[in-house]
Amino acid sequence: DVKVTQSSRYLVKRTGEKVFLECVQDMDHENMFWYRQDPGLGLRLIYFSYDVKMKEKGDIPEGYSVSREKKERFSLILESASTNQTSMYLCASLGLARDTQYFGPGTRLTVL
Amino acid sequence: RKEVEQDPGPFNVPEGATVAFNCTYSNSASQSFFWYRQDCRKEPKLLMSVYSSGNEDGRFTAQLNRASQYISLLIRDSKLSDSATYLCVVRGGGNKLTFGTGTQLKVEL
């Protein structure tokens, strides 16, 4: 079974703090994704990566950056957290077969 | 217009009922289609892929109408455990998926 893990289930940060969200997958998948999920807006793609050190902007990249130094790990960085970044953050990975995205359990981030 | 549109519901149905969800997509070049299920406070998980010829998995039937850019999910003999949010998902070119906002289903005794 594919396993995607995220570093924290719940996180509380203050406005202006730098926040790191970590995601690790154990299936040697090339593609990894970061989404945020908000009521009424669904899942929105922030960034994705199709290979180590490669990244592409999704639909809402503003205020975020990412890092993919190793194939199994994809990090989302909030350089200066703001209250409108309070959300559920979901990481996903996808193999070459491209048939299923596997999601991590999510990190519920609250920015005060 | 949203790329993927779904009726948010909630759909409240009695156990044993048949319920259908619909979804429309705007990109006619979309290549793959899926239904994901998301339980409350959990991550989305693939329920089933949707093929042009239609496909069935137990009590679940998915249909695709490319001409009308329309996808459906039919659940027969609803169970309490079917209560969840059902996400319509479309893949255009590449590996990027676009998610609908989901349709909430509540199955009641």
Side-chain angles (χ1 to χ4, degrees):
Chain A
D1 261 3
V2 175
K3 193 165 184 184
V4 181
T5 57
Q6 294 182 229
S7 49
S8 306
R9 291 301 302 271
Y10 300 94
L11 208 53
V12 180
K13 295 291 181 181
R14 297 208 174 271
T15 301
E17 281 193 75
K18 191 167 186 175
V19 182
F20 293 87
L21 302 182
E22 301 282 338
C23 175
V24 178
Q25 50 94 5
D26 66 357
M27 280 301 291
D28 202 36
H29 282 171
E30 288 72 21
N31 301 282
M32 296 186 74
F33 306 80
W34 275 107
Y35 297 88
R36 62 178 283 177
Q37 187 173 28
D38 301 287
L41 296 176
L43 275 91
R44 292 180 292 166
L45 181 64
I46 303 170
Y47 265 98
F48 65 102
S49 168
Y50 52 89
D51 203 350
V52 175
K53 296 192 186 294
M54 307 303 287
K55 60 185 179 184
E56 285 205 26
K57 292 180 180 180
D59 300 317
I60 51 163
E62 296 79 18
Y64 303 93
S65 61
V66 290
S67 171
R68 187 134 181 236
E69 296 296 318
K70 294 184 178 181
K71 192 174 187 180
E72 67 271 18
R73 189 179 297 269
F74 191 34
S75 303
L76 180 69
I77 302 150
L78 287 66
E79 295 290 342
S80 177
S82 63
T83 54
N84 64 11
Q85 292 179 311
T86 291
S87 186
M88 169 68 86
Y89 289 88
L90 288 156
C91 173
S93 75
L94 177 71
L96 278 179
R98 302 196 299 176
D99 54 352
T100 307
Q101 274 201 3
Y102 295 91
F103 284 86
T107 296
R108 186 165 292 279
L109 172 67
T110 301
V111 182
L112 301 175
Chain B
R1 184 185 170 187
K2 287 183 182 177
E3 287 188 59
V4 179
E5 293 207 59
Q6 295 181 252
D7 181 342
F11 284 60
N12 298 308
V13 303
E15 242 188 329
T18 295
V19 61
F21 305 138
N22 302 319
C23 166
T24 57
Y25 61 95
S26 60
N27 182 359
S28 59
S30 297
Q31 299 177 355
S32 304
F33 309 88
F34 310 91
W35 284 99
Y36 275 67
R37 171 192 169 130
Q38 186 172 23
D39 293 298
C40 187
R41 300 187 183 280
K42 298 279 191 179
E43 71 273 21
K45 292 184 179 179
L46 179 68
L47 177 67
M48 58 197 302
S49 301
V50 186
Y51 303 117
S52 297
S53 54
N55 48 299
E56 191 173 304
D57 183 1
R59 298 181 293 108
F60 298 82
T61 301
Q63 297 274 356
L64 168 64
N65 184 323
R66 283 189 181 270
S68 302
Q69 294 180 205
Y70 170 96
I71 305 157
S72 65
L73 176 68
L74 183 77
I75 305 175
R76 289 181 299 279
D77 189 24
S78 300
K79 312 288 184 194
L80 292 174
S81 57
D82 293 335
S83 297
T85 296
Y86 291 83
L87 304 171
C88 177
V89 184
V90 173
R91 183 170 67 82
N95 297 319
K96 183 183 163 187
L97 298 183
T98 301
F99 288 76
T101 52
T103 299
Q104 189 179 10
L105 172 65
K106 295 181 181 178
V107 181
E108 302 163 333
L109 285 171

